[in-house]
Amino acid sequence: MNKKFMTDIVFDYRKAEPFFNKDELVSASRMASDARSELINKTGKGSDCTGWIDLPKDYDREEFERIKKAAAKIKSNSEVLIVIGIGGSYLGARAAIEFLTDSFYNLRNAAPGADGLQIFFAGNSLSPKYLNDLVKLTEDKDFSVNVISKSGTTTEPAIAFRIFRELLIKKYGEAGAAERIYATTDKQRGALKKLADEKGYETFVIPDDIGGRYSVLTAVGLLPIAAAGCDIDSLMEGAFAMRELCLGKDFEHNPAMQYAAVRNILYNKGKKIEICSNFEPSMHYIGEWWKQLFGESEGKEHKGIFPAAVDLSTDLHSMGQYIQDGERMLMETFVEIEMSSAEVLLSSEAEDTDGLNYLAGKDMTFVNSRALNGTLLAHEEGGVPCMRLTVKDQSEYSLGELFYFFEFACGVSGYMLGVNPFDQPGVESYKKNMFALLGKPGYEELSENLTKRL
Ligand code: PA5
């Protein structure tokens, strides 16, 4: 089979099966099938935001080449890239970069003569300490900025952008700064687009029909990922292959429909929290991305599975007790990497003081996978329905598959739940209050009310 059409992800829900019966699965599979049709026929809620479905096939080739050129230019003239964005405008890129690169990527690239960039993220909090520390770190370095905001008005990235733009202008002058600022934003609307056009920044597009949390395979994710030296062609190929699989009608052969169906059955049985568990520290931000994808897509109308994520075996020594023995409202999805990108063999010692000689000659991957299996069985015994998603390796291709798998499953799952998985009305509430309390013009009345309540 052509590599381009091959998928390596395996979804296994056998350890959830004891928690439901066959009839329930048949009924959920029908609902998943209807949800899949709504999604791909664009007849469901929020269907004007489903541009991500065909993205791996129909992406803008001209822009894709421009992304590669911009990444090469950033690498040639900068030691540091600051990626400014929040939520869907940064989590995918961060997840990808941490998954695909060296665990100490930034440290390694800090060394004189290193051929890669240091990549730091800003504008995803309002911490003065973080911003100040990052400013100090970049002061005597050559740097560029990729500011990412669909609306162009989100406070956190707007503040960070103002600060780093001023630094760039101070250092390189207006024209020099313009050469180092890349704006990823709406095609024609918004404050960022206006500023970019006025100042002559290179711009990349967040398509109208793709919301933040589904945007990792647009320029939002692709420019930082390419700047980190990762192969974005291969990322898109993996997503393309997974798209073929997800579009398939047959429940038996569609892992995204299966995942959506099983988690909805479990939700209806009181399993209100889903934990996404990994055994690979460089997947921490995949967990963060996944949390946003599912949390923002499903948590509305007072419904939705609460998405949580743990890094194992680390968190087995903190959250493990609760998962094993706490309140039984949990389900768990293990995301496993089949082939680690490193081999670490354990040796034998003459005196077996630490009692580890029984592992001599074994690779750490073996130890890690036994820990995963042991944990999965323990959690199942403890009353936690478990699902398992096996990803072949930590390559761009596998990651493209994984991103698309979760996006499609999330769309299907949201429709099964009866919500619009593509809007986020709840995110506005804190913004309104924050603007009022900051004294933004136009919010005077709300400001008065809120101040009384504080
Ligand atoms: O998924 C989403 O839509 C949100 O998380 C947004 O990405 C986030 O709020 C940032 O918005 P913007 O890109 O408009 O700055």
Side-chain angles (χ1 to χ4, degrees):
M1 196 193 273
N2 184 331
K3 169 78 176 155
K4 284 193 175 170
F5 297 96
M6 222 164 73
T7 46
D8 305 309
I9 281 184
V10 177
F11 177 65
D12 176 356
Y13 58 91
R14 282 174 301 162
K15 299 293 176 214
E17 274 176 341
F19 296 84
F20 52 82
N21 63 40
K22 279 217 169 84
D23 290 346
E24 286 167 324
L25 184 62
V26 170
S27 141
S29 70
R30 285 200 192 111
M31 283 178 69
S33 180
D34 291 346
R36 170 202 153 274
S37 303
E38 272 186 89
L39 193 60
I40 59 183
N41 296 329
K42 300 191 186 289
T43 52
K45 293 179 190 169
S47 60
D48 53 340
C49 283
T50 51
W52 55 271
I53 296 177
D54 292 330
L55 189 66
K57 182 170 73 73
D58 293 338
Y59 62 89
D60 178 341
R61 264 58 181 186
E62 181 277 322
E63 184 180 66
F64 197 77
E65 290 311 311
R66 246 181 351 104
I67 289 172
K68 289 189 203 165
K69 281 200 188 115
K73 181 174 161 194
I74 296 168
K75 278 198 275 184
S76 72
N77 69 5
S78 305
E79 297 161 276
V80 170
L81 171 66
I82 310 281
V83 179
I84 297 176
I86 194 166
S89 291
Y90 99 103
L91 282 166
R94 186 158 194 176
I97 293 169
E98 297 206 357
F99 183 78
L100 295 170
T101 64
D102 186 311
S103 303
F104 304 100
Y105 176 85
N106 274 335
L107 268 183
R108 219 176 275 288
N109 287 331
D115 64 348
L117 283 167
Q118 288 185 286
I119 299 186
F120 297 108
F121 293 88
N124 54 62
S125 78
L126 290 164
S127 159
K129 177 180 187 306
Y130 183 90
L131 256 184
N132 191 48
D133 291 347
L134 192 54
V135 165
K136 278 192 285 181
L137 198 84
T138 45
E139 250 162 11
D140 52 358
K141 306 236 182 201
D142 279 316
F143 72 99
S144 295
V145 165
N146 179 200
V147 55
I148 308 166
S149 178
K150 186 165 186 172
S151 60
T153 52
T154 310
T155 311
E156 292 88 339
I159 289 177
F161 183 46
R162 187 178 271 222
I163 287 168
F164 283 103
R165 187 162 46 94
E166 278 168 11
L167 274 180
L168 281 173
I169 294 170
K170 213 163 114 196
K171 200 167 177 147
Y172 303 102
E174 278 275 4
E179 285 293 309
R180 290 170 177 273
I181 295 174
Y182 302 83
T184 306
T185 189
D186 190 88
K187 184 163 79 237
Q188 50 200 22
R189 283 182 303 253
L192 181 56
K193 175 66 181 157
K194 191 165 168 276
L195 181 72
D197 287 347
E198 271 169 29
K199 304 284 182 188
Y201 307 151
E202 178 155 15
T203 57
F204 297 95
V205 172
I206 311 179
D208 282 344
D209 56 358
I210 301 183
R213 58 193 177 275
Y214 293 84
S215 70
V216 60
L217 299 174
T218 69
V220 170
L222 295 177
L223 178 56
I225 295 170
C230 305
D231 177 356
I232 56 173
D233 286 289
S234 191
L235 187 75
M236 296 306 277
E237 283 170 12
F240 180 88
M242 185 49 72
R243 175 180 172 277
E244 298 285 295
L245 193 68
C246 290
L247 293 188
K249 263 189 180 160
D250 183 4
F251 184 77
E252 291 302 315
H253 297 105
N254 188 324
M257 273 209 275
Q258 292 170 11
Y259 175 51
V262 173
R263 63 198 297 282
N264 274 280
I265 299 175
L266 296 170
Y267 173 66
N268 290 325
K269 287 177 174 284
K271 306 297 178 191
K272 304 290 185 197
I273 296 175
E274 179 180 4
I275 305 173
C276 184
S277 302
N278 71 74
F279 272 76
E280 169 47 59
S282 57
M283 289 185 73
H284 176 79
Y285 268 91
I286 300 271
E288 296 302 302
W289 173 83
W290 174 90
K291 276 179 1 193
Q292 191 211 358
L293 179 66
F294 281 91
E296 218 169 69
S297 297
E298 295 194 313
K300 47 198 73 159
E301 299 173 28
H302 296 178
K303 296 196 274 194
I305 297 168
F306 183 86
V310 291
D311 301 323
L312 307 180
S313 62
T314 314
D315 292 341
L316 288 175
H317 300 261
S318 57
M319 298 300 287
Q321 172 61 38
Y322 192 103
I323 301 171
Q324 190 66 44
D325 283 338
E327 192 172 343
R328 302 297 72 187
M329 77 295 208
L330 308 175
M331 63 177 104
E332 189 170 13
T333 300
F334 289 82
V335 185
E336 176 186 27
I337 307 293
E338 196 182 340
M339 292 181 340
S340 174
S341 42
E343 189 184 61
V344 177
L345 284 180
L346 296 167
S347 58
S348 174
E349 288 183 359
E351 272 184 55
D352 189 20
T353 13
D354 55 11
L356 285 179
N357 272 359
Y358 78 103
L359 291 175
K362 296 277 193 300
D363 182 63
M364 283 281 288
T365 301
F366 168 83
V367 180
N368 206 23
S369 75
R370 292 309 180 272
L372 187 151
N373 284 331
T375 308
L376 185 136
L377 293 173
H379 289 178
E380 184 205 14
E381 269 159 31
V384 180
C386 294
M387 295 166 271
R388 180 179 192 145
L389 191 67
T390 307
V391 178
K392 188 167 155 223
D393 53 25
Q394 287 191 240
S395 65
E396 287 86 345
Y397 190 89
S398 293
L399 183 61
E401 291 182 286
L402 187 66
F403 277 146
Y404 195 91
F405 168 83
F406 277 134
E407 287 179 2
F408 197 89
C410 187
V412 173
S413 187
Y415 281 162
M416 289 183 74
L417 189 67
V419 299
N420 175 355
F422 308 113
D423 66 359
Q424 55 284 327
V427 179
E428 296 311 310
S429 307
Y430 101 90
K431 287 190 191 168
K432 261 194 309 186
N433 286 357
M434 179 177 71
F435 291 149
L437 293 170
L438 285 170
K440 188 170 178 171
Y443 290 82
E444 292 77 8
E445 203 183 317
L446 181 60
S447 169
E448 222 174 278
N449 288 342
L450 291 177
T451 311
K452 276 189 214 142
R453 277 172 53 202
L454 276 174

